[in-house]
Amino acid sequence: MDILFVADPLTSFKIYKDSTFAMMQAAAARGHALWACEPQDLAWRDGKLMGRVYPLKLTGRAPDWFEAGNHEWQRLKQFGAVLMRKDPPFDQEFLYATYLLELAERDGARVFNRPQSLRDFNEKLAIFRFAQFTVPTLVTSRAEEIRAFLAEQGDVVVKPLNAMGGTSVFRIRPGDANLGVIVETLTQHETTTVMAQRYIPEIKDGDKRILIIDGEAVPYALARIPAPGETRGNLAAGGTGVARPLTERDWQIAQTLGPQLKQAGLLLVGLDVIGDWLTEVNVTSPTCFREIMEQTGFDVAGMLVVALERQV
């Protein structure tokens, strides 16, 4: 089938670690044709959702890893599948893209992940659907609430609701001289809502990324271990990724969430688990395919493409 990837500019890909590139490789290996565009290439016109798309071929070499054909306008319903792989932040333009992709669905396109669920499952707030697996958590824009939560918990992590890669994630403790400026900066003087969670000491052993594909867990997680002096395990923040088999608790979380995520039209989800606790439900453009594949030999990208074929 023809598969359209709605993504960031392909020239920005770091193919040695990019999960979308791994998906492209797996799809091409199974005989599918690859197409691409960016969110700003989507347009509603004359009652149809169109995309200014172009075909691409993988060259098998770097840095010129792809060859792009000419741009052309096509109706999204003509593709076998449309994969939304735009990275966060989930800003206003991302939101508009989900509305346009939802119109494409109504026009007959098969979009993954489901655009409505991309909106409904905020990557931070979605954990409240599964509160039995979470640590004490606060969502607010009020400084006094954050200070009270810190006093109650003694050690907390505060983060924005729309970012990725560990951006603007702060660990704060009572007496922190920078508490005021951290809260002011993150809440933009109480005009922006943020999340605070009790600090989980097991972060030293890694922030585990568990991949759920079509409701089923990949049997290995990538434990992203913080660099010395860091509290963030994100690879983008200097963490080291170590693939490990899922623990009994990991399986419990994955098997509880998997069917519900599948029912919501979420083909691919990345759960973040620290110790025994669920901290995020990533639905926009979950990563860590390549690290798990290279360290374990498990074909994560192949599992995703087979699930995609099964869906369409």
Side-chain angles (χ1 to χ4, degrees), residues 44 47-49 75-77 98-111 114-116 119:
W44 176 259
K48 308 178 187 69
L49 201 293
R75 204 168 175 177
L76 264 61
K77 67 177 292 184
T98 68
Y99 287 130
L100 290 173
L101 289 171
E102 190 169 21
L103 290 172
E105 271 190 327
R106 295 180 183 180
D107 192 37
R110 293 164 290 274
V111 183
R114 181 179 295 162
Q116 179 181 341
R119 297 193 300 272

Side-chain angles (χ1 to χ4, degrees), residues 90-130:
F90 195 112
D91 55 15
Q92 200 74 12
E93 285 302 314
F94 195 108
L95 178 64
Y96 294 151
T98 68
Y99 287 130
L100 290 173
L101 289 171
E102 190 169 21
L103 290 172
E105 271 190 327
R106 295 180 183 180
D107 192 37
R110 293 164 290 274
V111 183
F112 305 92
N113 285 323
R114 181 179 295 162
Q116 179 181 341
S117 291
L118 288 176
R119 297 193 300 272
D120 290 349
F121 282 74
N122 174 274
E123 302 195 319
K124 309 304 191 285
L125 300 180
I127 64 172
F128 299 130
R129 298 170 182 258
F130 316 104

Side-chain angles (χ1 to χ4, degrees), residues 79-191:
F79 292 93
V82 177
L83 292 180
M84 176 54 163
R85 289 290 299 173
K86 173 72 176 70
D87 282 345
F90 195 112
D91 55 15
Q92 200 74 12
E93 285 302 314
F94 195 108
L95 178 64
Y96 294 151
T98 68
Y99 287 130
L100 290 173
L101 289 171
E102 190 169 21
L103 290 172
E105 271 190 327
R106 295 180 183 180
D107 192 37
R110 293 164 290 274
V111 183
F112 305 92
N113 285 323
R114 181 179 295 162
Q116 179 181 341
S117 291
L118 288 176
R119 297 193 300 272
D120 290 349
F121 282 74
N122 174 274
E123 302 195 319
K124 309 304 191 285
L125 300 180
I127 64 172
F128 299 130
R129 298 170 182 258
F130 316 104
Q132 69 270 38
F133 299 122
T134 64
V135 294
T137 302
L138 169 73
V139 175
T140 186
S141 61
R142 296 299 183 189
E144 65 185 79
E145 293 296 324
I146 296 173
R147 291 177 180 274
F149 184 74
L150 173 61
E152 176 186 296
Q153 299 298 325
D155 195 347
V156 304
V157 170
V158 186
K159 53 190 175 182
L161 297 179
N162 66 344
M164 63 171 285
T167 302
S168 300
V169 175
F170 291 89
R171 179 186 178 187
I172 52 178
R173 283 161 281 193
D176 191 320
N178 293 310
L179 174 59
V181 69
I182 290 172
V183 173
E184 288 174 4
T185 300
L186 283 178
T187 67
Q188 299 183 49
H189 296 277
E190 300 190 324
T191 64

Side-chain angles (χ1 to χ4, degrees), residues 6 8 20 45 59 64 83 87 130 155 187 216 279 301 305:
V6 182
D8 292 300
T20 303
R45 189 173 66 198
T59 65
D64 51 340
L83 292 180
D87 282 345
F130 316 104
D155 195 347
T187 67
E216 300 293 332
T279 60
V305 175

Side-chain angles (χ1 to χ4, degrees), residues 215-232:
E216 300 293 332
V218 171
Y220 298 93
L222 189 74
R224 296 160 296 174
I225 301 170
E230 261 286 358
T231 58
R232 301 171 299 169

